[in-house]
Amino acid sequence: MLNVLIAEDMCLLRGALVSLLALEPDIEVVAELSSGAGIVERAAATEPDVAVIDIDLPDLDGISAAAALRRHRPECRILIVSGLGSPGHVWRALDAGVSGYLLKDSDPQRLIRAIREVAAGGHMVDPRLVRTAPPGASALLTSRETEILRLAAEGYRTSDIALMLALSAGTVRNYLATVVSKLNARNRVDAIRIARAEGWLNWGTP
C-alpha cells in the first residue's frame, strides 16, 4: 500500500484528488493539508511514501515545503502538481529535490502513474515541461547520467562505456533507462535527441 499526503489549498480540488486516489486499491491518502506550514509535521505523524504538493500554498509555498520535507524525511518522495509551469518554478522545484512535476490539467491516470513511478524511485516530469528544465546536474539529469548519455550519443556501446567509466554493463544500462524515464523519452535514441536539442550534452566535463 502506498501512503500519500496531499497538500492543496483549493478544497474542491483536494477533495477530487482524494476521491480519485480512493479508487486505487494500492493507494491510501493518509493526510490532507490546505497550507504548506504543517507538511513536515504531518508527514512525521503519518509517514507517507509520496507527498503530492501544490506550489501556490498559503503560509509556506509548496517548493519551500518540499525542500523542508526532503531535509527532514528524505525517504518521502515528492510530486509537485501545480498550475504553475514557468521555467523558474520548475527549476526551483527540481533543485529542491522533487521527484516529479505535473501540471494540474494533466490526465488523472498520468497522476496515478506518476505517484507509483516516484514511489518506486523513478522520476516523472510533464512532457510539456521537459523543455523548460535547465541543463546540467542541477536539472533533470545528474552529472553521471549526462556523462553516460553523452558517450552513448557519441556512438559508444554499453560495454565500451562500462569499460571507460569502470562500471558494469548492467549499471550503465540502468543509468540509461533512468535517463529515458526522466526525459519522458520513448527510448535511448529519443533521449539523445531531446538532450541534443536542448544543448544539455554540451554542458559539464565528460
Side-chain angles (χ1 to χ4, degrees), residues 34-172:
S34 58
S35 72
I39 288 178
V40 172
E41 183 179 352
R42 290 292 297 279
T46 58
E47 300 184 346
D49 301 297
V50 178
V52 178
I53 301 176
D54 183 21
I55 288 179
D56 194 15
L57 294 174
D59 301 325
L60 183 68
D61 72 90
I63 295 178
S64 298
L69 186 58
R70 284 288 296 165
R71 287 195 302 272
H72 293 281
R73 298 198 66 82
E75 70 277 10
C76 179
R77 309 283 284 178
I78 302 168
L79 174 64
I80 294 291
V81 178
S82 176
L84 304 173
S86 70
H89 288 107
V90 177
W91 299 359
R92 282 184 61 216
L94 293 171
D95 281 338
V98 307
S99 300
Y101 196 122
L102 295 182
L103 294 175
K104 284 186 176 179
D105 64 353
S106 296
D107 183 274
Q109 290 306 310
R110 181 182 290 278
L111 171 63
I112 293 168
R113 288 197 304 273
I115 289 173
R116 294 192 177 112
E117 177 74 18
V118 301
H123 293 75
M124 176 72 77
V125 176
D126 193 303
R128 293 168 292 179
L129 301 177
V130 170
R131 296 183 64 84
T132 72
S138 64
L140 289 177
L141 305 183
T142 66
S143 56
R144 177 64 95 181
E145 289 163 353
T146 302
E147 179 180 27
I148 288 174
L149 187 63
R150 184 185 295 114
L151 291 171
E154 291 173 1
Y156 290 103
R157 297 174 300 177
T158 299
S159 56
D160 298 328
I161 297 171
L163 228 96
M164 294 165 71
L165 301 180
L167 300 171
S168 71
T171 298
V172 172

